[in-house]
Amino acid sequence: MANPEDIAAGRARWQARYDAARTPGSGGRGSAAPEARTTISGQPLDPVYGPPEGAEVPGFERIGWPGEFPFTRGLYATGYRGRPWTIRQFAGFGNASQTNERYRMILESGGGGLSVAFDMPTLMGYDSDHSFALGEVGHCGVAVDSAADMEVLFDAIPLAEITTSMTISGPAIPVFCMYLVAAERQGADTSVLNGTLQTDIFKEYIAQKEWLYPPEPHLRLIGDLMEYCGENVPAFKPLSVSGYHIREAGATAAQELAFTLADGFGYVELGLSRGLDVNRFAPGLSFFFDAHVDFFEEIAKFRAARRIWARWMRDRFGADQERAQWLRFHTQTAGVSLTAQQPYNNVVRTAVEALSAVLGGTNSLHTNALDETLALPTERSAEIALRTQQVLREETGVVNVADPLGGSYYVEALTDRLEAEAERIFERIEGMGGGAGADHAIGPITSGILAGIDNGWFTSEIAESAFQYQQALEKDEKRIVGVNAHTASVTGEVETLRISHEIEREQNRVLAERRERRDGGAVDKALADLLGAVRDPARPNLIPVILDAVRAEATLGEICGTMGEEFGTYTEKPHL
């Protein structure tokens, strides 16, 4: 039990952190905004609230104060008063030129960063003219075949001055190299680039199924990327561990929480197995969560995630610096919650989900558009999605107080329950790998994840959860407005964005021209060097040789295919 003296000492520590962050030139998260904040009715607001003086609160050490271990209430003493969450709208469609126009619209409308959606051929490491790409080019994101496309994608957008998130895992490393080369060609100092690369291959085997090679080669590439970014692009986060796709596949909130953090622990083990300093590389890990429609459960999930990660990083992996204990995360509202029926209801769902992410302390946020269950967003629906975040930020007062729900009996009970369920799942995963006492190439959690991928445990757990939810819908135990409740409506069809087949033809024409113009001999040599490096187990790092291939204008498909000659392909086992 936290006694009154401990609680008072905690408040004093919080006040000192808060004051330090607000001091000009301190390097904290203070802002030029007025210190005094009020409700819309003029009632003054404190920057944080906690137990009254003299109170005894059982378990308060697990709740604590914003900005201190275990970070249940957030990473920063100032909350959003210091700096609000980053508005980072996910966008990509058609070719690089079209998407560039959408990016400029987002930035000019108040977006704080860019998030790249790639089309399916790019996500699978294919060039746009590959037979497997037929009919898919530009449809679920932007087509990127080479560094030249990346240059067009960010034309007139200074990469040294913005943060960019790229949601891609299987071919993430070659795509990141194309991003670096595009920045070089802008004249940027690549060492100052800031952003996030997803790179999370574990969730591909668990949920999304967009892999290129077996797990071990992917882990080799990810380890190389962690080393390279730490030494050369320190502000860029080489891994965004994604629970979003796990949740979208049908997982529960507890499964999303546990599977995602377990994947993160696996990448920590990978870094440690490479001899990296956990206090240096752990701050380069970030997370990507789903914000579903069950408002309070989602808030509790985010709070539990920070607490679990901080404790494991300190107690299990030896991280003794705060930044290495921080769980920083991006949130996207739940695509799976959107309905084709009565699509305007999706605006409400998205706003509620976005608010849960904010009250849960997200660091950045994407809000889905009302028409995304039907097609890629139109400019109109994309603007509504952006304005949803801006209304939350500017009008609702949610930025005035750090962790306003901290201490709520309901929220704290849900947080504890989700944490306990996640810990049970971690124990199961570690057991599948033979436990902490066994020999492991990377680490016990990694061994358990690989075993769970191999035996189909993750996919079967998610499938069972999805089945149970669907049964509840069909029995009317769960209700969705417009689907199995309140189905009458006066609304008609909404306008949707359609990608012309001419996009694919033009992309392939440009790709063919680029192949003709480039130095074929230089490309052949670069790819031969890459294959030799891949086949050399003593090769210290593959990133520089991939960069050389990108600079020679080798395409994504050529680079991924060359590595695949040695790495091979992966086929998921059938599980009955």
Side-chain angles (χ1 to χ4, degrees), residues 6-28:
D6 292 337
I7 292 173
R11 179 180 281 277
R13 289 193 303 273
W14 168 83
Q15 187 68 56
R17 287 174 179 264
Y18 182 84
D19 292 342
R22 304 291 295 185
T23 302
S26 67

Side-chain angles (χ1 to χ4, degrees), residues 475-503:
K475 294 176 181 178
D476 280 344
E477 295 169 357
K478 300 285 186 183
R479 311 194 82 189
I480 298 176
V481 174
V483 177
N484 63 349
H486 312 291
T487 54
S489 177
V490 297
T491 61
E493 294 184 359
V494 298
E495 174 190 356
T496 57
L497 176 66
R498 299 298 179 189
I499 304 300
S500 168
H501 67 279
E502 292 298 329
I503 292 295

Side-chain angles (χ1 to χ4, degrees), residues 196-214:
T196 304
L197 190 67
Q198 188 166 97
T199 326
D200 177 9
I201 204 62
F202 284 143
K203 64 93 177 173
E204 298 297 345
Y205 300 107
I206 290 171
Q208 198 172 25
K209 314 301 182 184
E210 291 169 359
W211 58 72
L212 274 63
Y213 316 120

Side-chain angles (χ1 to χ4, degrees), residues 57 59-65 70 72-73 303 307 406-407 412:
V57 182
F60 187 73
E61 68 277 1
R62 291 167 52 76
I63 302 170
W65 299 92
T72 310
R73 302 192 67 185
R303 301 172 87 251
R307 187 159 75 201
E412 300 301 349

Side-chain angles (χ1 to χ4, degrees), residues 403-426:
D403 189 35
L405 294 180
S408 157
Y409 293 121
Y410 180 37
V411 170
E412 300 301 349
L414 277 176
T415 303
D416 290 346
R417 188 183 307 167
L418 284 168
E419 180 180 17
E421 191 169 346
E423 289 291 346
R424 287 192 291 271
I425 295 173
F426 298 149

Side-chain angles (χ1 to χ4, degrees), residues 39-305:
T39 69
I40 199 170
S41 303
Q43 297 295 319
L45 294 171
D46 293 335
V48 75
Y49 290 83
E53 185 176 350
E56 290 189 358
V57 182
F60 187 73
E61 68 277 1
R62 291 167 52 76
I63 302 170
W65 299 92
E68 71 173 22
F69 188 91
F71 308 106
T72 310
R73 302 192 67 185
L75 304 180
Y76 307 107
T78 54
Y80 292 133
R81 277 198 186 194
R83 185 169 71 215
W85 68 92
T86 299
I87 297 175
R88 191 185 300 281
Q89 289 299 103
F90 188 49
F93 65 97
N95 58 31
S97 178
Q98 290 174 308
T99 300
N100 174 265
E101 292 178 11
R102 178 66 62 87
Y103 287 166
R104 293 192 195 186
M105 183 271 284
I106 290 171
L107 293 172
E108 290 167 3
S109 299
L114 298 176
S115 185
V116 185
F118 296 98
D119 70 0
M120 187 57 68
T122 306
L123 291 171
M124 298 303 297
Y126 295 122
D127 290 335
S128 295
D129 59 358
H130 193 283
S131 60
F132 289 176
L134 185 63
E136 296 287 347
V137 175
H139 280 271
C140 69
V142 63
V144 172
D145 292 316
S146 69
D149 281 321
M150 198 70 81
E151 285 185 87
V152 175
L153 186 63
F154 293 103
D155 181 46
I157 299 173
L159 294 180
E161 299 174 17
I162 65 161
T163 63
T164 305
S165 172
M166 291 183 281
T167 303
I168 190 165
S169 294
I173 282 79
V175 167
F176 177 65
C177 290
M178 292 176 185
Y179 184 79
L180 291 182
V181 170
E184 288 175 355
R185 293 174 181 176
Q186 284 187 356
D189 176 0
T190 58
S191 68
V192 304
L193 295 180
N194 196 348
T196 304
L197 190 67
Q198 188 166 97
T199 326
D200 177 9
I201 204 62
F202 284 143
K203 64 93 177 173
E204 298 297 345
Y205 300 107
I206 290 171
Q208 198 172 25
K209 314 301 182 184
E210 291 169 359
W211 58 72
L212 274 63
Y213 316 120
E216 290 78 6
H218 276 297
L219 291 176
R220 175 185 174 184
L221 288 166
I222 293 169
D224 286 354
L225 182 68
M226 292 170 69
E227 291 178 353
Y228 185 87
C229 285
E231 294 174 6
N232 299 283
V233 201
F236 209 97
K237 298 169 184 63
L239 265 165
S240 176
V241 190
S242 177
Y244 185 85
H245 307 91
I246 292 170
R247 189 65 178 279
E248 294 286 293
T252 65
Q255 288 171 333
E256 178 195 0
L257 173 65
F259 294 174
T260 307
L261 293 188
D263 290 350
F265 299 149
Y267 295 124
V268 172
E269 291 178 343
L270 176 62
L272 292 172
S273 75
R274 291 291 191 103
L276 302 180
D277 180 352
V278 68
N279 286 311
R280 289 193 63 192
F281 77 77
L285 304 177
S286 68
F287 288 80
F288 175 22
F289 287 110
D290 198 301
H292 218 296
V293 77
D294 191 318
F295 185 70
F296 289 104
E297 184 175 55
E298 295 304 290
I299 295 168
K301 179 187 72 181
F302 300 133
R303 301 172 87 251

